[in-house]
Amino acid sequence: MSLETQINQDIKAAMIAKDNAKLRGLRAIKAAILLAKTEKGGADEMTEETEIKVLQKLVKQRKESAEIYQQQNREDLYQIEVEEQEVIESYLPKQLDRAAIEEVIKGIIAETGAASIKDMGKVMGLANQKLAGQADGRTISEVVKSLLS
C-alpha cells in the first residue's frame, strides 16, 4: 500500500476519532505529498525513497520550528509542532541510535580509506546513501566529523 493511500485512510480514522493532533500531522503529510507530485518533473507515483525524503523534510521543519518556539517561550505553539513531528515520524522507518550510526560510518571509513577531515565528502556521500531514512543528515555529519578528526 502506498504512503498516500495509508495517509488517506488514517485521516478518515483520525476524523472519526476526533484526534486533532494526529489529523494536523496527517494533513501536513498529504499536502507535502501532493506538492511533491505536482512539482515540475514530479511523477504521478512516488518512489519509497522520495516519500521518505518528503517525510524527513517535514520532520526537520517541525524540529526547527519547535526550537524557535521554545526559545521564544511559546509553549502552546511548541507543543503543536512536537505533536505533528511525532505523527510524521511514525511513518518513517525506525531511526538508528548513535552507536549503530557510528558502526556503519566506521565501516564506510574503512571501505573508502578516509584518513582526515578532507575525506569527509566521500564518507558523507556513502553514509547518506546507506543510512537514507534511518538517520538525519545532521547526526550523520556530527558522527563523521568526530570519527575523522
Side-chain angles (χ1 to χ4, degrees):
M1 177 182 334
S2 74
L3 178 66
E4 188 174 13
T5 307
Q6 179 69 42
I7 296 297
N8 285 333
Q9 290 176 354
D10 291 348
I11 285 175
K12 289 175 189 171
M15 289 172 113
I16 291 170
K18 295 186 181 351
D19 186 350
N20 288 330
K22 187 169 186 173
L23 193 56
R24 279 193 313 270
L26 292 170
R27 284 181 173 159
I29 295 171
K30 184 174 181 177
I33 289 172
L34 287 173
L35 186 64
K37 287 172 99 174
T38 58
E39 280 180 347
K40 189 174 184 181
D44 283 341
E45 285 300 314
M46 293 175 61
T47 63
E48 187 175 342
E49 184 179 306
T50 309
E51 290 172 345
I52 289 172
K53 285 182 182 179
V54 168
L55 293 176
Q56 285 178 323
K57 182 179 176 184
L58 290 174
V59 168
K60 183 179 178 185
Q61 288 172 344
R62 297 303 182 283
K63 283 182 180 177
E64 290 170 354
S65 296
E67 283 179 26
I68 292 169
Y69 291 140
Q70 195 169 31
Q71 290 169 359
Q72 295 177 348
N73 295 323
R74 292 295 311 265
E75 198 61 37
D76 54 333
L77 297 175
Y78 169 79
Q79 194 60 40
I80 289 171
E81 294 298 325
V82 169
E83 289 170 353
E84 288 181 16
Q85 176 187 333
E86 289 170 358
V87 170
I88 296 166
E89 283 177 338
S90 69
Y91 291 92
L92 282 170
K94 186 178 181 302
Q95 299 290 299
L96 296 175
D97 64 339
R98 194 171 182 94
I101 294 169
E102 282 183 20
E103 287 303 313
V104 172
I105 292 175
K106 283 178 185 175
I108 292 170
I109 289 172
E111 182 182 308
T112 60
S116 69
I117 202 78
K118 292 179 184 176
D119 300 320
M120 186 171 172
K122 287 192 289 189
V123 176
M124 282 297 296
L126 287 171
N128 283 329
Q129 286 177 349
K130 281 191 177 182
L131 297 171
Q134 299 174 334
D136 66 6
R138 182 182 292 172
T139 306
I140 294 171
S141 176
E142 289 171 1
V143 172
V144 170
K145 281 181 187 173
S146 70
L147 291 175
L148 288 178
S149 49

